[in-house]
Amino acid sequence: MSEYNYNYHDDNFSLDEAERYNLLIQINKATFSYAITDQDKLVACADMHPLDELTNPQELLDLLSAKYKQVVVGLPANGFTLVPQSLFSPDHITDFARFLDVNSSEKISAQPLDSSNIIIYKTDSAIINAAEEFGLRNSVFSSKGWITAIAGNNPADHDLYLNLNGSQVEIVTFNHNKLRFYNLFEFQNNDELAYFVALTVNELDLQPTDTHIYLNGDIDTGDKSISHLADFFGQVELNQLQVVQIPAEIPAHQILSLAALSLCASSEVV
């Protein structure tokens, strides 16, 4: 996995211009990352800030309190289920939520994931409370932008896209640009990562030698997980997709999931 941390401010970045910027915040379990975009250009970003900096900002007080054109907050999920939009009704959210084993320290959100599916997911209440500082109407499922970005890039039916975040991997694939499969797995080593990818390939009835895998997130060029996956699948490479203009010193695959939040419209927590 990667040891890379990004911290970038464009020379022309100024909070005096905040009303023309979009602020993107992606929350993990204990930390968050942010990016600021000016139309389709990245002008600032940083990762690995502690979660309490959202509710009681010290280092980022000026940045987080500025008045932006739009704010998008990506919320993580402790568990989720997908429901076809044709079957979804807000009146039945509690029925769907029973599949998620929600406890007293979690809250349920329901939002469109794409044109065909609603994602119902649970998030720690402490994270929801932190997001409330920016208005829950501005919150979306953390990976909605990433999924939207890939769907808009004409993915082939035999392509698997992996987003790595520490010991978690998200896997998504499409059929005729429609979401076919999305899931999240916990893994501890490269063998387990390869196992979950192989499990997905088998479930989708794909041929390993014909499967192309594109990775982004917590991974570096030359990472052993790339060569390990390449032992089993036809093509394995880093995902170089860009949804905003980024400086050369920031690897595109490192920031893809965060930057893709720029594609999201705000939704409300139910």
Side-chain angles (χ1 to χ4, degrees), residues 4 6-14 21-25 33-47 242-252 254-262:
Y4 177 78
Y6 47 81
N7 191 331
Y8 168 78
H9 281 192
D10 186 274
D11 290 340
N12 295 319
F13 169 70
S14 170
Y21 297 155
N22 291 330
L23 172 65
L24 315 173
I25 298 174
S33 304
Y34 74 81
I36 298 174
T37 60
D38 182 1
Q39 298 184 48
D40 63 348
K41 179 182 179 182
L42 181 75
V43 294
C45 64
D47 66 347
Q242 295 189 33
V243 296
V244 295
Q245 299 177 46
I246 62 174
E249 60 264 34
I250 298 180
Q254 291 272 0
I255 201 172
L256 174 58
S257 180
L258 171 61
L261 286 174
S262 62

